[in-house]
Each structure stands twice: as C-alpha cells, then as structure tokens.
Amino acid sequence: MKEKGRKVIATNKKARHNYSILDVYEAGVALLGTEVKALREGKASLVDAFATVDDGEVWLRGLHIPEYNRGTWTNHEPRRTRKLLLHKREIEHLVGKTREGNLTLVPLSMYFVDGRVKVELALARGKQLHDKRQDMARRTAEREATRELGRRIKGMRG
C-alpha cells in the first residue's frame, strides 16, 4: 500500500482504539541489515511495541521483526530494543511531556520513505473503558447518518 511516496510495512490498529493521540512524530530507526531485509518482505508486528526515553535517547521496545529466513549466524534477535532517531529538541519535548502527565509513546505505523525505515510515533494518553464506548457510539451514529443521507440522495426515502 503506497501513500505519498511511502510503503507501509506495519500498522498498530489497536493504538487509536486504546489511546487518545495528542501529538505525532516521525522518527528514523537504527536497524541491522537482516532487519531491513525482513522488513522489505513486509514482516513486522507493532502489537506490543512502545517507546521509552532513557538518558536523552528514545528506544523502541517490543517491536517484533522476525529473523530473516535467508540470514546466517549474523541474523538479528527478533524483539531487541531499537534506537529511534529524533532531533534533540523533539526528544526534550517528549521527555517533558511524558514526565508531566501520564502520557506514553506508542508507534502507530512503520513504513519506508525513500529506502529508509521510519516509525510514526504518537504521544498518547490511555483511554478508559467509558471513553472507548463513547467513541464507538459516536462512530456508529456518524455511519448511520451518512448511510441515511446516501439513501435520501438516491431517492429511496422521501
């Protein structure tokens, strides 16, 4: 799937359901050669992934990139911690935001841009169960409204 010159590798579908997204950043990822080859095959999982800020560096944890099937003893560990590449100003902003409130860093998607692997990282706040229910009810109401509008335009109901 290509959007604006980027080839999406993996998306975290549950992230927008479980978190309220406040801000989005694009970060590069420091990878090994076999990891890039495995990603080119479209194999990655962001399901349990999250990011932390340690000693002024941002680390992506829980990202699963399976071993490259044609790799040898140089193959990578599937769930190793990977460094995210951000500007110093962005890192300082993230440190301030994560310390001030109960905010987390969640990867939304992983994609290629001009041959480089990028991660869309979101500064997010966890949703409570009632927030999730409100969002589902709102989406259902919007869907019903657009469906009804479409019916009226087509002349099915008067």
Side-chain angles (χ1 to χ4, degrees):
M1 166 160 69
K2 287 194 176 189
E3 303 170 339
K4 299 177 191 169
R6 60 171 150 171
K7 181 181 180 267
V8 177
I9 302 164
T11 56
N12 191 348
K13 294 177 183 175
K14 282 288 189 181
R16 294 189 191 275
H17 178 71
N18 292 332
Y19 298 96
S20 297
I21 307 301
L22 305 176
D23 207 359
V24 178
Y25 299 90
E26 182 180 69
V29 187
L31 297 171
L32 300 174
T34 55
E35 289 175 325
V36 176
K37 289 179 180 184
L39 289 175
R40 289 204 186 280
E41 292 178 346
K43 298 178 179 175
S45 175
L46 292 170
V47 173
D48 296 326
F50 63 97
T52 58
V53 183
D54 302 324
D55 299 329
E57 294 180 333
V58 183
W59 298 89
L60 186 60
R61 303 178 191 279
L63 168 67
H64 183 265
I65 300 175
E67 288 188 351
Y68 181 56
N69 57 7
R70 288 186 285 286
T72 58
W73 59 273
T74 59
N75 234 336
H76 63 277
E77 187 180 324
R79 284 202 183 267
R80 76 177 185 90
T81 303
R82 294 160 178 96
K83 186 176 181 179
L84 293 180
L85 309 172
L86 289 159
H87 292 285
K88 190 170 187 106
R89 195 174 311 123
E90 290 175 326
I91 294 172
E92 289 169 356
H93 183 257
L94 289 175
V95 168
K97 289 290 188 177
T98 53
R99 283 195 183 145
E100 121 188 348
N102 47 348
L103 301 178
T104 55
L105 296 170
V106 181
L108 298 177
S109 65
M110 183 177 243
Y111 48 89
F112 281 106
V113 175
D114 298 328
R116 291 186 167 83
V117 178
K118 303 286 184 178
V119 171
E120 191 175 44
L121 193 66
L123 187 64
R125 177 174 282 120
K127 283 186 186 177
Q128 301 290 326
L129 184 62
H130 59 88
D131 293 333
K132 293 178 190 178
R133 288 181 181 156
Q134 286 175 349
D135 283 350
M136 287 191 308
R138 182 182 44 79
R139 279 196 305 265
T140 304
E142 287 174 359
R143 198 176 310 120
E144 288 296 322
T146 56
R147 191 175 292 152
E148 183 63 29
L149 188 63
R151 286 186 186 132
R152 286 182 185 224
I153 289 172
K154 290 178 184 173
M156 296 176 91
R157 286 189 188 160

